């Protein structure tokens, strides 16, 4: 029988460390529920010591998720471990993931600790975490650049202290697959008690090797992969869950392991994460990109029509493409709307919220004939974004005019802390004019770092989802907006980002020195 490969999803923790990808508690709970539906074994729900908000998010995920283990990250310090222990208390199955850096450069320059001190701290941290749960994971941070003998020493001690999972992070994405595979081989061979723990791979994608490195680790004995939906994560991101899961499923001839992932939920998970974070999925992204199963060239199309396997190694339906594109329209009733939302895992806390969503659905159906699942998801996400209370700015109305040979003009009316104000601006394009009009009212001084619009479905009547990234004084936020009119969608996204800039974003970064 094939070994079980544990899928440990860290979208809500390492994924959230992407600049601008921070999520609210409600958003994290929505993603966690989808991860549970996807049947991931472990959900790393956050770093509870980062802030009160992060603590509450991990607590909320721990209390709603029943079928996956919920994990909290903690540096090897008392406050972090106690906080993580408290946050996962409500979980059916809870894990603490504690870590300390082991590479010479991190020990010397970041921790300013000797190797002996690091071993003592690791042992202490694992034992302390065991006071809260039997399920303790230990990571030697920057293992990919650590010395093998020292790595063996610290891991052996961590297992003796009670660690049940040993995670090997390639923190800076420096390793090549043959090296990373060899590292696992060496660790499993040389550490006398290696059979007492599950070994795990945690790879970053700085050189585009994250999935390849994780799979090389599996070939050499790793039985857990840490990954994120869409490969979200700091810098170039983490290993993409969809890539490693489909690789082991498709190449059973090479990988003698099984996951329990319900692969038909992969596309839904990808859309939800992209929707909530505003990080678009590139069209040619493996598995979840819009073109991943599209055959452009005539030769390919001919081959696929004659015999699918000529050019297709996976079924689009197996990862959740186009299995559930039930169409709703302006004549669909409240019941059909509610049923479809439930099937998509979208629930409302009150009847009032459902009624509001239904009104928005009807408004959309007046402008767009066929409403797909993607539209419903976008509609609900946009509603959550725009309805946030205690915001300083809201879009009241917008009027745009554009003509060939003339500079477009946009007049914007905003609600600003209880008062309405309007401004007219012209720009090189209509979006430029809209943003200038908003800026002339709010004078944020923020710098626009990224702007993108994606159509949610095919056709020119599609909802356009806009992402805006703003930077101010080193703080980066992403704003999202959705509308069939892209100027409105863009203005909503810009205002959403401005509101985020005004919130208290201070939280500790887990990899910063304690
Ligand atoms: O990349 C890394 O080293 C991490 C650790 C906290 C496990 O994310
Ligand atoms: Zn990481």
């Amino acid at each position: 029988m094939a070994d079980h490969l544990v899928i440990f999803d860290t979208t809500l923790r390492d994924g959230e460390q992407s600049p601008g990808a921070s999520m609210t508690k409600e958003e994290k709970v929505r993603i966690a529920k989808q991860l549970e539906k996807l049947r991931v074994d472990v959900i790393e729900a956050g770093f509870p010591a980062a802030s009160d908000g992060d603590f509450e998010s991990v607590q909320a995920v721990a209390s709603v998720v029943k079928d996956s283990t919920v994990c909290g990250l903690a540096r090897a310090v008392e406050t972090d471990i106690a906080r993580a222990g408290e946050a996962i208390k409500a979980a059916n199955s809870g894990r603490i993931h504690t870590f300390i850096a082991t590479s010479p450069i991190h020990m010397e320059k970041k921790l300013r600790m000797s190797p002996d001190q690091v071993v003592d701290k690791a042992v202490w941290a694992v034992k302390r975490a065991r006071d809260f749960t039997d399920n303790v994971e230990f990571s030697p941070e920057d293992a990919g650049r650590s010395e093998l003998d020292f790595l063996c020493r610290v891991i052996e001690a961590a297992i003796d202290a009670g660690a049940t999972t040993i995670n090997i992070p390639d923190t800076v994405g420096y390793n090549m697959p043959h090296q990373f595979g060899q590292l696992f081989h060496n660790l499993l061979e040389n550490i006398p008690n290696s059979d007492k723990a599950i070994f795990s791979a945690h790879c970053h994608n700085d050189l585009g090797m994250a999935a390849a490195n994780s799979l090389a680790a599996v070939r050499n004995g790793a039985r857990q992969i840490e990954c994120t939906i869409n490969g979200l994560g700091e810098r170039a991101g983490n290993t993409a869950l969809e890539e490693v899961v489909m690789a082991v499923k498709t190449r059973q001839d090479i990988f003698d392991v099984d996951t329990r992932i319900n692969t038909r939920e992969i596309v839904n998970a990808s859309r939800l994460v992209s929707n909530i974070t505003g990080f678009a999925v590139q069209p040619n992204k493996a598995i979840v990109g819009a073109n991943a199963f599209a055959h452009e060239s005539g030769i390919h199309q001919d081959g696929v029509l004659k015999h699918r396997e000529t050019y297709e190694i996976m079924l689009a339906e197996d990862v959740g493409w186009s299995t559930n594109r039930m169409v709703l329209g302006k004549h669909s009733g409240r019941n059909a709307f509610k049923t479809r939302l439930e099937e998509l895992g979208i629930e409302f806390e009150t009847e009032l919220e459902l009624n509001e969503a239904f009104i928005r659905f009807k408004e959309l159906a007046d402008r767009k004939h066929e409403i797909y699942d993607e539209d419903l998801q976008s509609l609900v996400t946009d509603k959550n974004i725009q309805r946030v209370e205690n915001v300083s700015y809201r879009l009241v109305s917008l009027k745009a005019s554009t003509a060939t040979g003339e500079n477009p003009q946009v007049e914007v009316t905003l609600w600003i802390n209880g008062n309405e104000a309007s401004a007219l601006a012209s720009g090189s394009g209509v979006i430029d004019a809209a943003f200038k009009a908003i800026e002339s009212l709010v004078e944020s001084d923020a710098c626009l770092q990224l702007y993108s619009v994606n159509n949610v479905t095919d056709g020119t009547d599609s909802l356009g989802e806009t992402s805006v990234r703003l930077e101010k004084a080193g703080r980066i936020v992403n704003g999202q907006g959705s509308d069939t009119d892209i100027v409105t969608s863009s203005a909503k996204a810009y205002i959403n980002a401005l509101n985020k800039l005004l919130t208290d974003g201070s939280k500790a970064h887990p990899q910063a020195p304690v």
Side-chain angles (χ1 to χ4, degrees):
M1 223 178 80
D3 282 355
H4 179 63
L5 177 65
V6 175
I7 298 298
F8 175 115
D9 181 279
T10 183
T11 305
L12 300 178
R13 197 280 295 171
D14 219 335
E16 205 209 14
Q17 286 174 215
S18 297
S22 66
M23 302 166 222
T24 63
K25 181 169 86 183
E26 289 70 29
E27 289 167 343
K28 286 185 180 174
V29 167
R30 244 178 104 195
I31 292 178
K33 285 184 178 167
Q34 177 59 32
L35 293 172
E36 188 181 24
K37 233 171 148 186
L38 187 61
R39 305 201 70 224
V40 306
D41 299 276
V42 187
I43 298 173
E44 188 164 50
F47 172 45
S51 68
D52 289 346
D54 287 68
F55 174 82
E56 284 161 19
S57 299
V58 177
Q59 218 176 23
V61 171
S63 46
V64 298
V65 166
K66 300 289 168 235
D67 186 44
S68 308
T69 296
V70 177
C71 175
L73 182 74
R75 290 167 296 193
V77 292
E78 170 61 27
T79 40
D80 279 25
I81 296 173
R83 209 71 179 132
E86 184 62 28
I88 59 157
K89 216 158 142 187
N92 257 359
S93 160
R95 174 183 293 190
I96 295 179
H97 174 192
T98 185
F99 72 99
I100 188 162
T102 52
S103 63
I105 185 168
H106 275 227
M107 291 192 289
E108 196 189 319
K109 306 283 183 215
K110 178 174 100 166
L111 300 176
R112 293 171 208 252
M113 285 168 79
S114 69
D116 286 349
Q117 286 173 317
V118 166
V119 176
D120 289 349
K121 202 65 188 213
V123 168
W124 171 85
V126 171
K127 286 190 175 154
R128 181 71 183 116
R130 287 288 303 230
D131 292 340
F132 297 92
T133 169
D134 293 346
N135 192 341
V136 174
E137 171 169 329
F138 171 72
S139 290
E141 187 193 0
D142 204 16
R145 292 188 301 169
S146 299
E147 283 163 4
L148 181 64
D149 288 348
F150 182 61
L151 211 46
C152 290
R153 184 180 153 207
V154 74
I155 291 172
E156 182 181 349
I159 296 174
D160 275 342
T164 45
T165 299
I166 295 294
N167 179 46
I168 305 299
D170 183 18
T171 304
V172 290
Y174 181 68
N175 281 234
M176 290 293 132
H178 69 283
Q179 274 182 314
F180 204 59
Q182 187 64 44
L183 176 60
F184 275 75
H185 176 84
N186 292 341
L187 293 175
L188 288 162
E189 283 276 296
N190 295 332
I191 298 173
N193 54 2
S194 65
D195 60 324
K196 306 276 181 312
I198 289 180
F199 277 64
S200 161
H202 176 111
C203 300
H204 282 267
N205 207 28
D206 299 67
L207 292 171
M209 300 291 155
N213 282 346
S214 304
L215 294 168
V218 173
R219 291 272 290 159
N220 286 279
R223 289 296 176 262
Q224 173 175 291
I225 292 183
E226 301 204 350
C227 44
T228 58
I229 303 293
N230 300 336
L232 191 70
E234 279 208 315
R235 308 183 308 274
N238 288 62
T239 302
L241 178 146
E242 59 278 7
E243 294 176 11
V244 286
V245 165
M246 290 315 290
V248 298
K249 184 177 159 89
T250 308
R251 297 304 307 269
Q252 282 287 299
D253 55 325
I254 294 181
F255 300 103
D256 196 17
V257 291
D258 266 339
T259 73
R260 56 167 214 155
I261 295 294
N262 174 4
T263 59
R264 288 181 169 248
E265 287 296 333
I266 285 179
V267 168
N268 280 342
S270 162
R271 280 208 192 108
L272 183 64
V273 169
S274 163
N275 222 234
I276 284 177
T277 58
F279 280 55
V281 176
Q282 74 196 55
N284 56 329
K285 165 83 183 61
I287 321 290
V288 292
N291 288 353
F293 291 87
H295 294 277
E296 177 74 42
S297 87
I299 293 175
H300 284 204
Q301 284 175 359
D302 180 56
V304 169
L305 288 176
K306 283 185 181 137
H307 188 76
R308 193 185 60 76
E309 277 93 2
T310 48
Y311 285 101
E312 270 188 19
I313 57 166
M314 295 169 276
L315 283 176
E317 300 87 277
D318 282 354
V319 297
W321 280 110
S322 63
T323 43
N324 48 11
R325 286 172 62 93
M326 187 180 107
V327 182
L328 298 178
K330 68 195 258 183
H331 299 297
S332 305
R334 195 170 166 285
N335 243 347
F337 173 70
K338 185 171 174 236
T339 307
R340 192 64 202 139
L341 287 181
E342 279 168 6
E343 281 163 7
L344 291 172
I346 301 169
E347 290 155 20
F348 292 100
E349 276 167 24
T350 63
E351 274 299 286
L352 183 69
E353 282 179 24
L354 172 65
N355 291 341
E356 277 172 14
F358 186 61
I359 292 169
R360 288 168 58 83
F361 159 72
K362 283 288 183 184
E363 281 167 7
L364 179 63
D366 273 340
R367 283 182 280 154
K368 186 174 187 293
H369 292 308
E370 293 172 326
I371 309 286
Y372 295 99
D373 292 343
E374 295 89 323
D375 294 310
L376 295 178
Q377 273 159 336
S378 180
L379 191 111
V380 172
T381 304
D382 189 56
K383 179 170 171 290
N384 287 341
I385 291 169
Q386 310 304 333
R387 83 153 188 226
V388 177
E389 281 154 21
N390 303 326
V391 293
S392 297
Y393 311 119
R394 285 184 203 279
L395 177 67
V396 176
S397 63
L398 178 153
K399 198 162 127 195
S401 67
T402 176
T404 315
E406 285 174 27
N407 274 347
Q409 288 201 319
V410 174
E411 186 181 358
V412 168
T413 303
L414 296 188
W415 177 97
I416 306 179
N417 293 319
N419 298 309
E420 280 190 13
S422 302
L424 178 75
S426 58
S428 57
V430 72
I431 307 296
D432 185 41
F435 289 1
K436 282 187 173 137
I438 295 170
E439 266 307 318
S440 73
L441 292 170
V442 304
E443 296 178 345
S444 78
D445 228 13
C447 169
L448 179 68
Q449 286 202 331
L450 180 143
Y451 167 77
S452 73
V453 194
N454 283 289
N455 49 326
V456 171
T457 53
D458 297 337
T460 47
D461 64 350
S462 165
L463 279 173
E465 273 178 353
T466 308
S467 285
V468 163
R469 181 177 297 169
L470 295 180
E471 187 270 338
K472 189 173 177 185
R475 174 132 184 257
I476 294 174
V477 293
N478 276 342
Q480 286 93 47
S482 161
D483 202 282
T484 47
D485 171 44
I486 60 162
V487 189
T488 304
S489 158
S490 304
K492 280 183 180 175
Y494 197 91
I495 293 164
N496 178 233
L498 288 173
N499 281 321
K500 284 189 183 170
L501 268 185
L502 295 178
T503 59
D504 176 19
S506 54
K507 56 178 178 176
H509 189 291
Q511 281 149 306
V514 186

